[in-house]
Amino acid sequence: MKFIAFNVRSDEEKYFKAWEKQNDVQVECVAAPLTTEKLDGLAGYDAVLTLQTGTYPEKMFEKFKEVGVKVLSIRNVGVDNIDLKAATENGILVTNVPAYSPNAIAEFSVTQLLQLLRNTTLFRRRVAAHDFRWAPFVGKELRSLTVGVLGTGRIGRAAINIYRGFGAKVIAYDLYPNPELKKEGIYVDSYAELFAQADVITLHMPATAADHHLIGAEAIAQMKDGVYLINTARGALVDTEALIAGIKNGKIAGAALDTYENESPIFNHDLKDQPLKDTVFKELLELDNVLITPHVAFYTETAVENMVTIALKSAQEAVTKGTTATLVNQ
């Protein structure tokens, strides 16, 4: 059995090598992304492993079928930018990693909120300028706030537990409520109801066509004045221009964004000394009450190991058994 993995970072390599040795499966690691030019070189490989972010070559699955690749194994959760219909039509199995470390993302989202509530970015800038005054940046205590959680899957539930530990009131909305949480009565009946009640809105849901720009001008207008927005989920959930307008007019007190709707050309690239071509993103960066991180909420040692090993195991099972628990196009 022979696999090839694309977009392999240096922090992933040791986990690939350890799994390869333990399972007697040849795994070739490539730092570059999968491109059209590389499709012709895939003959002889049983599975291709790559990351969800970015774009994929046109007619990729047709080429997989032609050269004998049986499985595409994604080292992430999201498969919203993968043509699953084309994969199925060409007999290619697609797998993902449904949960590599829910706590990593949940902890990060709360960390970012705490920074917003205590104005740490503003204080860092003042201290760097040798201005050690406090006012006017008085903070807020999390226990005094109502946190609205959109999406109560593994990550959302982990976040709920952390927020409760701080003493915050938690409400939630999910199209598919968790039975245990439903018994506790934390769910509201609509997005609008959550928007109207929450001091903090934190996103932990997948991106679908129906939820594109869920957080837009109309939704923001329904929110409480001075609301905080945390997005460690998917960039497409937020209309960035509407968000900027909400921040500038004071409707939104602060936002923490670990993902951005047009992030692929920016995140995980070294762009220092280069002008930013994305004027909307540049405007975000200039806002004092916006925290931007380059899609790193997941990025812990535990999560990286799980992403690699689960993706490899899924590919192995899919090749040998024709199915696996992480199959997404069955």
Side-chain angles (χ1 to χ4, degrees):
M1 200 178 304
K2 189 176 178 183
F3 297 168
I4 185 168
F6 292 93
N7 295 101
V8 176
R9 304 183 307 269
S10 58
D11 55 273
E12 295 179 301
E13 289 180 354
K14 63 181 179 181
Y15 302 119
F16 274 108
K17 291 177 180 177
W19 190 92
E20 178 184 41
K21 184 176 181 180
Q22 292 168 4
N23 291 272
D24 195 27
V25 175
Q26 183 179 344
V27 182
E28 181 178 345
C29 293
V30 180
L34 176 59
T35 60
T36 301
E37 293 72 27
K38 293 183 173 66
L39 289 175
D40 287 329
L42 297 179
Y45 292 99
D46 298 289
V48 171
L49 291 87
T50 188
L51 294 174
Q52 176 265 341
T53 53
T55 57
Y56 293 96
E58 290 187 15
K59 299 184 178 180
M60 176 178 70
F61 292 113
E62 289 91 329
K63 194 66 179 181
F64 278 9
K65 181 179 180 180
E66 180 184 325
V67 300
V69 172
K70 305 175 183 67
V71 177
L72 174 68
S73 185
I74 304 297
R75 304 196 299 279
N76 306 76
V77 179
V79 292
D80 44 282
N81 63 336
I82 297 173
D83 190 342
L84 297 180
K85 183 174 182 289
T88 302
E89 289 173 349
N90 286 278
I92 308 301
L93 301 178
V94 180
T95 70
N96 72 342
V97 181
Y100 30 89
S101 181
N103 274 70
I105 298 170
E107 288 177 9
F108 189 85
S109 67
V110 179
T111 298
Q112 297 300 85
L113 173 62
L114 291 172
Q115 291 192 76
L116 289 174
L117 294 179
R118 300 306 297 268
N119 301 299
T120 56
T121 299
L122 294 166
F123 280 120
R124 276 199 297 270
R125 290 177 182 174
R126 275 197 171 183
V127 169
H130 293 181
D131 182 349
F132 303 105
R133 293 173 297 168
W134 305 343
F137 305 131
V138 62
K140 290 183 171 66
E141 294 185 20
L142 184 47
R143 65 174 179 163
S144 67
L145 304 179
T146 296
V147 178
V149 178
L150 290 181
T152 54
R154 295 178 179 90
I155 299 169
R157 294 198 301 273
I160 286 170
N161 289 336
I162 298 172
Y163 284 120
R164 283 175 166 171
F166 279 91
K169 177 182 177 181
V170 178
I171 59 175
Y173 179 78
D174 197 310
L175 285 173
Y176 307 99
N178 176 274
E180 293 303 314
L181 291 178
K182 191 171 184 178
K183 291 177 185 176
E184 297 173 12
I186 74 166
Y187 287 108
V188 295
D189 295 327
S190 66
Y191 289 125
E193 189 175 347
L194 185 140
F195 294 154
Q197 295 183 36
D199 300 296
V200 176
I201 297 170
T202 182
L203 307 180
H204 300 290
M205 55 192 288
T208 66
D211 292 322
H212 181 74
H213 283 182
L214 171 69
I215 307 299
E218 182 179 347
I220 292 170
Q222 297 171 5
M223 296 176 188
K224 296 174 70 172
D225 292 343
V227 68
Y228 293 87
L229 178 71
I230 314 298
N231 186 12
T232 55
R234 290 288 179 266
L237 294 170
V238 177
D239 180 339
T240 310
E241 293 189 29
L243 173 67
I244 291 172
I247 292 169
K248 286 188 171 181
N249 67 27
K251 182 71 172 181
I252 299 173
L257 307 175
D258 187 54
T259 182
Y260 169 61
E261 57 183 322
N262 300 308
E263 70 183 46
S264 294
I266 303 172
F267 289 178
N268 206 26
H269 297 287
D270 183 357
L271 302 179
K272 61 175 173 285
D273 301 324
Q274 298 181 40
L276 282 174
K277 298 177 182 178
D278 188 329
T279 56
V280 175
F281 186 75
K282 185 177 179 182
E283 192 171 3
L284 270 179
L285 286 175
E286 293 170 352
L287 296 171
D288 287 335
N289 51 347
V290 175
L291 299 178
I292 297 176
T293 45
H295 214 137
V296 294
F298 79 96
Y299 198 41
T300 65
E301 292 175 348
T302 299
V304 171
E305 181 177 8
N306 287 342
M307 290 169 75
V308 171
T309 57
I310 294 172
L312 286 164
K313 180 182 177 183
S314 296
Q316 183 184 41
E317 289 183 349
V319 170
T320 57
K321 301 177 182 178
T323 188
T324 181
T326 60
L327 192 65
V328 295
N329 66 328
Q330 49 187 333

